[in-house]
Amino acid sequence: MRLGVTEHRVRLGSVEYRVLRVGGLHRALCYDSGHWLNLWVDRGAAAELAAAWLLAARSPRSLVHLPLRRRAERPAGAVLPERHLARDLLLLHHSLQFPASRWKEVRGRAGRAGSPHTVEFRRDDFPSRRDRAVPGTHHAEFRDRLRLTTAADTLVLSGSALPFADAAADFLDLAGTGPGRDRRWRSAGGHACAELHPTSGLLDRSVPLVHVEYCPDWEPVPREGAEAGSPEG
């Protein structure tokens, strides 16, 4: 599995940040519903999302940016929140102690130019189910949980490698979903999803739920005003 990323180096004062901006993800959308974090993906984007989260797990000194706000397509027939609620994702290791309030400036300075790279993962790089049972996740002293803050239209998720890798494995499983491919799709009446649930013990209270839904059919996003029937200028 290959994931295209662009590396950016941004210096703020005495600190230099390494930003890895993920390419692809053409059929992917992310919204903050106010109750939980929602994503919609097709099969290819589910695999790329899995690779991006595994990249975050393996890059503790980097900010992994998934630019998802401005998409050319949307799930066909899905009831989506207002377009202005679309969000980017920023994934980072909590040891960086990165203030979310700096993200807008870091993103602005990163610009569009950068150094392109291709990251490759194998199926064996993702945690297997027998490796994902982590003792102690429900203890108060457990410190590896994902935490959520919001800045500059971006959902900033920070945590250890453990929850990022665990979620990546679930997203990769979702990439195998589809009509005629997965029994979950048929038995659930055409609905298949992956969730990071509070019962896992891997989410801080700031992240009530992460829900990633598989959508096989997508359509172009109408231009501003087209949905309301406004005249074209």
Side-chain angles (χ1 to χ4, degrees):
M1 180 188 309
R2 294 184 176 183
L3 184 70
V5 300
T6 306
E7 180 182 358
H8 306 261
R9 299 278 181 169
V10 176
R11 179 169 291 278
L12 294 183
S14 61
V15 182
E16 183 180 70
Y17 296 106
R18 180 179 184 241
V19 180
L20 300 178
R21 183 167 291 156
V22 177
L25 293 163
H26 298 298
R27 288 183 166 180
L29 276 173
C30 176
Y31 286 91
D32 180 2
S33 71
H35 302 288
W36 54 72
L37 191 159
N38 275 312
L39 289 103
W40 290 264
V41 293
D42 73 350
R43 188 177 298 131
E48 291 169 335
L49 184 69
W53 282 60
L54 189 59
L55 177 64
R58 296 191 167 195
S59 306
R61 307 307 301 170
S62 301
L63 308 175
V64 179
H65 178 212
L66 285 66
L68 301 175
R69 281 179 296 154
R70 300 182 178 92
R71 304 281 89 187
E73 293 184 89
R74 66 181 184 183
V79 179
L80 303 176
E82 294 294 329
R83 195 178 308 174
H84 70 274
L85 296 176
R87 298 288 182 260
D88 286 351
L89 280 179
L90 185 68
L91 314 176
L92 57 107
H93 199 277
H94 55 55
S95 64
L96 283 176
Q97 298 183 327
F98 176 75
S101 58
R102 290 189 179 181
W103 171 238
K104 185 175 182 178
E105 186 174 5
V106 170
R107 183 179 63 192
R109 293 195 180 192
R112 295 183 178 275
S115 176
H117 300 276
T118 299
V119 183
E120 295 193 29
F121 294 112
R122 300 169 301 166
R123 183 63 182 88
D124 291 345
D125 292 326
F126 292 82
S128 66
R129 292 202 174 274
R130 68 175 179 272
D131 296 329
R132 291 162 61 188
V134 181
T137 56
H138 295 281
H139 294 171
E141 61 271 18
F142 188 74
R143 293 290 181 264
D144 288 334
R145 297 183 181 94
L146 285 181
R147 291 169 174 79
L148 173 67
T149 52
T150 304
D153 297 321
T154 302
L155 300 175
V156 182
L157 287 165
S158 63
S160 75
L162 174 63
F164 284 126
D166 186 85
D170 280 340
F171 301 156
L172 188 63
D173 288 343
L174 187 63
T177 302
R181 293 173 60 94
D182 194 294
R183 285 179 296 175
R184 290 177 302 171
W185 174 263
R186 298 191 295 274
S187 62
H191 178 92
C193 64
E195 290 185 338
L196 277 72
H197 199 275
T199 57
S200 69
L202 296 177
L203 298 180
D204 180 74
R205 291 182 180 179
S206 61
V207 195
L209 178 70
V210 178
H211 178 263
V212 183
E213 182 176 343
Y214 166 71
C215 297
D217 300 315
W218 290 64
E219 62 186 10
V221 174
R223 289 177 296 172
E224 291 289 345
E227 286 181 297
S230 61
E232 297 184 6

